[in-house]
Amino acid sequence: MTSRGVLCTSGDATILFDPKTASSGINFVSHAHIDHLPSSSGGTILASRYTAELASHRGRDLGCCTEDMQDCTLYDTGHIFGSRGVLFGDTFYTGDICTRDRGFLQGARIPKCKTLITECTFGLPEFVFPSVRQVCLQVDEIISSMYSRGVPVVLMGYELGKAQTLSHLFAHWEPLYYHDSIKAINEMHRRWNVPLKPALGHTEAERQGLLNKKPWVMIAPKMSAKSPFVLKMKKYGAVTISFSGWAKSGRFPYSNGADYSIQLSDHCDFNELIKMVEVSGAENIYTIHGFVSEFSDYLKKCGFNAMPLMTS
């Protein structure tokens, strides 16, 4: 692993996985979250067309991009729409991955491989997530309680990925509004036939005086309680529900002052990571992104040949 990304060679071919800066050769970009997009384009980019379009929307031009390359097979990783892992020779690189079905997103299916390079964002035994059904029941109960008192609710998650999952899971509430930034990304998904309900953006809803007609549900990006947007929604009496895999962790203050903090993630939890390793049949496992040392140590105790990949 280099400071630019994970460099992998198979036969005469070499690929740089999720590079910070694209090389002049072949670069694989797993998905369109900013922390996985190269800061500049170059060479040939292997990525899904959805990742390329979302990257462009977010101000990152991937340049020469293709979904098809010899000795490479792309696999849907279930992290966000368009996210992919790549089987390169006998090595599978996951990028960010989730094997759990969530709304319109199907969990990843893991190919057999000799070498597995996997993220381990939640690679500690304390991270075991509730089912999506449990999350929906919990949140619907909160919204129902608020609606009975005429209180609007703002559901907050990352602008790309979690916001679309929330838009799908809670589309049965009326009226439903989107933060303008989420509406734009949802419209892109709708063009790709993702079943997200059309709804007004918050600027238009406010202009029409609709936010005064309470209650309502709005999907918004994850923000601090002190952000101007959240403070404005508080003037309408809204309560905020924040969604994160870190919601129940004492390690990091991820609630950002939200009224409720719910555990929902676009990554595998600890048990799902272990299952993924088992299903892959990999002889060698390398861990990146997260609790790399802790997770590889646990795998070694379970009899796997595992080690963390550190930046050189």
Side-chain angles (χ1 to χ4, degrees):
M1 185 169 180
T2 73
S3 59
R4 296 178 65 185
V6 179
L7 191 65
C8 185
T9 299
S10 177
D12 296 329
T14 297
I15 295 182
L16 193 58
F17 297 143
D18 278 337
K20 301 296 182 184
T21 304
S23 72
S24 58
I26 300 171
N27 308 270
F28 171 69
V29 176
S30 62
H31 65 286
H33 279 153
I34 293 296
D35 61 331
H36 284 258
L37 293 175
S39 59
S40 61
S41 60
T44 299
I45 303 291
L46 177 63
S48 74
R49 69 179 182 90
Y50 308 110
T51 291
E53 289 187 43
L54 287 165
S56 179
H57 176 79
R58 312 193 90 193
R60 299 285 181 91
D61 181 7
L62 295 187
C64 181
C65 192
T66 181
E67 292 182 297
D68 188 21
M69 191 169 291
Q70 187 175 357
D71 298 324
C72 292
T73 304
L74 299 186
Y75 287 82
D76 189 337
T77 57
H79 176 59
I80 65 173
F81 193 75
S83 65
R84 300 289 186 265
V86 61
L87 183 64
F88 174 47
D90 55 12
T91 296
F92 182 57
Y93 171 79
T94 66
D96 286 348
I97 192 165
C98 184
T99 55
R100 193 180 337 106
D101 292 348
R102 302 175 328 287
F104 64 88
L105 289 168
Q106 291 190 330
R109 302 297 179 259
I110 310 303
K112 295 295 182 182
C113 58
K114 184 176 180 180
T115 299
L116 176 68
I117 304 174
T118 180
E119 63 120 328
C120 51
T121 301
F122 294 103
L124 292 180
E126 70 185 71
F127 294 110
V128 177
F129 301 145
S131 69
V132 174
R133 181 176 181 275
Q134 288 174 305
V135 169
C136 288
L137 288 173
Q138 181 182 6
V139 175
D140 280 338
E141 185 176 338
I142 295 171
I143 296 174
S144 179
S145 174
M146 295 302 149
Y147 263 45
S148 70
R149 291 181 278 152
V151 176
V153 180
V154 179
L155 308 179
M156 299 191 300
Y158 292 127
E159 179 181 279
L160 172 59
K162 198 161 296 168
Q164 286 70 53
T165 298
L166 296 175
S167 298
H168 187 268
L169 293 178
F170 301 104
H172 51 281
W173 289 100
E174 291 282 359
L176 178 69
Y177 304 119
Y178 300 137
H179 186 279
D180 292 346
S181 64
I182 289 172
K183 176 179 171 62
I185 294 177
N186 282 11
E187 287 302 313
M188 294 179 72
H189 283 66
R190 281 170 48 77
R191 291 198 298 272
W192 299 325
N193 297 316
V194 176
L196 298 180
K197 185 163 72 175
L200 289 178
H202 77 275
T203 299
E204 183 62 23
E206 189 170 34
R207 184 182 299 121
Q208 294 184 26
L210 298 175
L211 299 189
N212 290 312
K213 300 176 181 180
K214 299 175 281 190
W216 39 260
V217 167
M218 184 180 295
I219 314 296
K222 191 170 177 62
M223 300 182 198
S224 163
K226 297 180 180 180
S227 69
F229 174 81
V230 172
L231 291 175
K232 178 183 284 190
M233 293 304 107
K234 285 293 182 180
K235 291 180 179 179
Y236 292 101
V239 302
T240 54
I241 306 178
S242 179
F243 295 82
S244 172
W246 305 100
K248 302 303 180 183
S249 173
R251 293 171 179 268
F252 306 101
Y254 267 74
S255 67
N256 284 337
D259 297 303
Y260 297 88
S261 191
I262 305 294
Q263 198 172 33
L264 179 68
S265 179
D266 296 328
H267 297 259
C268 287
D269 71 8
F270 180 78
N271 290 337
E272 291 162 343
L273 286 170
I274 297 295
K275 182 67 174 178
M276 177 182 64
V277 170
E278 294 173 345
V279 168
S280 74
E283 298 174 12
N284 305 295
I285 301 100
Y286 296 96
T287 57
I288 55 172
H289 303 311
F291 296 100
V292 293
S293 297
E294 295 89 340
F295 188 58
S296 64
D297 286 346
Y298 186 90
L299 290 175
K300 282 186 280 190
K301 290 177 182 177
C302 295
F304 294 100
N305 183 30
M307 69 172 59
L309 279 182
M310 303 293 190
T311 301
S312 59

